[in-house]
């Protein structure tokens, strides 16, 4: 299954290849203040591949907070946060926001609330390495 998504204005877009086709897509609704305010509901397929395009880098804002171990990719034009990356052992991992999907049937999404309060940095990075998308590519658009 090819999942396409991105921010509202199209400056940040992504394609997530999800193999095999999922019978459901986990949708983790983080309860931290940033995700709550931005409606961040995250998913990942560790066996998937993610290709990210940014049309205008000057309109890409990167935001860190809390443990500063995750980078939220925010479109400075429309304010949408379509993905988050984390570098673990010099490798980039990612999750994507299901609210940024373009054409996935809502019936495929399985929302579940999550809280990472109290999680140590070591456990957090190990979880990301295990559960986040490991094949992440940022594609130059030529602009």
């Amino acid at each position: 299954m090819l999942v396409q998504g991105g921010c509202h204005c199209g400056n940040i877009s992504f394609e997530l290849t999800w193999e095999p086709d999922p019978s459901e897509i986990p949708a983790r609704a983080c309860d931290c203040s940033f995700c709550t305010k931005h409606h961040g509901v995250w998913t990942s397929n560790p066996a998937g591949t993610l290709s990210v395009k940014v049309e205008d880098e000057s309109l890409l804002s990167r935001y860190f907070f809390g443990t500063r171990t995750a980078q939220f990719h925010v479109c400075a034009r429309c304010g949408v946060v379509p993905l988050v990356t984390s570098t673990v052992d010099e490798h980039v991992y990612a999750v994507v926001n299901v609210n940024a999907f373009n054409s996935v049937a809502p019936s495929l999404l399985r929302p579940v609330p999550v809280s990472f309060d109290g999680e140590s940095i070591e456990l957090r990075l190990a979880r990301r390495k295990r559960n986040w998308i490991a094949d992440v590519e940022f594609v130059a658009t030529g602009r």
Side-chain angles (χ1 to χ4, degrees):
M1 172 181 207
L2 181 64
V3 177
Q4 296 179 319
C7 68
H8 189 259
C9 70
N11 186 52
I12 305 169
S13 62
F14 64 81
E15 290 187 342
L16 171 59
T17 303
W18 196 300
E19 298 292 336
D21 283 357
S23 58
E24 64 180 33
I25 294 175
R28 298 178 296 275
C30 179
D31 70 351
C32 79
S33 60
F34 186 85
C35 291
T36 299
K37 289 178 185 265
H38 288 86
H39 300 279
V41 181
W42 310 102
T43 195
S44 58
N45 176 356
T49 60
L50 179 66
S51 177
V52 180
K53 292 181 184 174
V54 178
E55 293 296 325
D56 185 345
E57 284 278 339
S58 72
L59 295 174
L60 174 62
S61 177
R62 293 170 178 92
Y63 181 72
F64 294 89
F65 82 111
T67 62
R68 302 188 57 78
T69 59
Q71 184 176 46
F72 292 79
H73 298 257
V74 183
C75 181
R77 182 185 299 142
C78 67
V80 174
V81 186
L83 72 141
V84 179
T85 57
S86 182
T87 301
V88 183
D89 298 329
E90 299 181 23
H91 186 88
V92 176
Y93 295 86
V95 291
V96 294
N97 189 345
V98 301
N99 290 319
F101 286 178
N102 291 340
S103 60
V104 171
S107 61
L108 272 178
L109 301 177
R110 291 294 173 256
V112 59
V114 294
S115 178
F116 302 111
D117 284 347
E119 184 179 52
S120 71
I121 291 176
E122 294 77 20
L123 288 175
R124 185 168 298 213
L125 296 178
R127 174 180 47 79
R128 290 177 183 162
K129 194 173 181 178
R130 185 176 59 251
N131 296 331
W132 286 25
I133 304 160
D135 188 351
V136 180
E137 174 186 32
F138 282 82
V139 180
T141 61
R143 285 187 173 186

